[in-house]
Amino acid sequence: MDAGTTVADLVATLGLGPRRIAVEVNRAVVARAEYGVTALRARAEHKRSAEALHQAREELARVTRVTTLGELAASIAHEVNQPLAAIVADANACLHWLDADPPPFDSIREALAGVVNDGNRAGDVIARIRALVSRSSVAHRPCDLGGVVRDVLLLVGPELGRHGTVLHTSLATGLPPVMGDRVQLQQVLLNLLLNAAEAVRDVPPERRRVVVRSILEHREDGPWAVVAVEDAGVGFREEQAARLFEAFYTTKTDGLGMGLSISRSIIDGHRGRLWATANPGHGATFQFALPPMR
């Protein structure tokens, strides 16, 4: 087409009449519209699929939390029964003192304060459990990682003691807050601690120990809040390391192989990292790192 050639000249050369031109234009418009509708449908379907996948992951994570709490049933019952037994004892003491003439009001007041404290203690245990089995999805918000660690240790500590496992802690003070879902982060640490407890269950008594550490590490890309769970248990072989976080892969005879996979997915969703290393002597260390709020 020369510089001086017009559209009309081109139409005349191709022998296209006005009607034929209108038909071709309409076809092009329809084709473009159909393509746009198809693209919109594909995007909508992709969005629905992504939402369904997210919902399925959340439900699976919740089921895993409930299953994990089932393993703690005996310890949870003990933690609730202790304050309830103390409440009954204090209440009976108050009834006995009220029969005295005159009643020892100072002792009664002290016993009633103990009832209140033990009631709150039992309520705190129930509240922590209810939060872990909740269906609600919480948006990421400022989260005290040190508080997450302390709450999980309150749940798991009695279970470790019941099996003769010694729990050591080395927790940094003043860890900066992270952006996250508190319940999900509790689930990750709970899973790591129960895995460590199982790893040391059948080893000699002197190796039945679990260490929980938290620290603020300064790296080239900035500070990271790190939580580590170390055990002196059975550990894992080198050829198993690459598959530890795969879904449905497990080294346990009765395991589902979902705990570590879900945990890594949660940490990834918090822009963090979860990894495992074999200890030089015995056992393994699992760690996750999260970026502090900026």
Side-chain angles (χ1 to χ4, degrees), residues 189-237:
L189 183 55
L190 185 62
N191 182 66
L192 297 183
L193 277 167
L194 289 181
N195 284 352
E198 186 166 348
V200 301
R201 191 162 296 170
D202 297 322
V203 301
E206 63 271 14
R207 285 171 47 195
R208 288 181 200 158
R209 64 181 183 275
V210 173
V211 181
V212 180
R213 298 189 307 271
S214 66
I215 190 173
L216 183 65
E217 289 189 357
H218 294 275
R219 304 177 181 175
E220 292 182 359
D221 55 349
W224 289 79
V226 180
V227 176
V229 177
E230 177 186 337
D231 66 71
V234 295
F236 56 84
R237 298 189 301 274

Side-chain angles (χ1 to χ4, degrees), residues 24 26 34 57 68 78 81 88 98 126 183 205 235 250-251 269 281:
E24 294 300 325
N26 284 338
E34 288 178 346
R57 282 176 175 168
T68 301
H78 178 70
N81 281 336
V88 171
L98 286 173
I126 300 301
V183 170
T250 180
T251 58

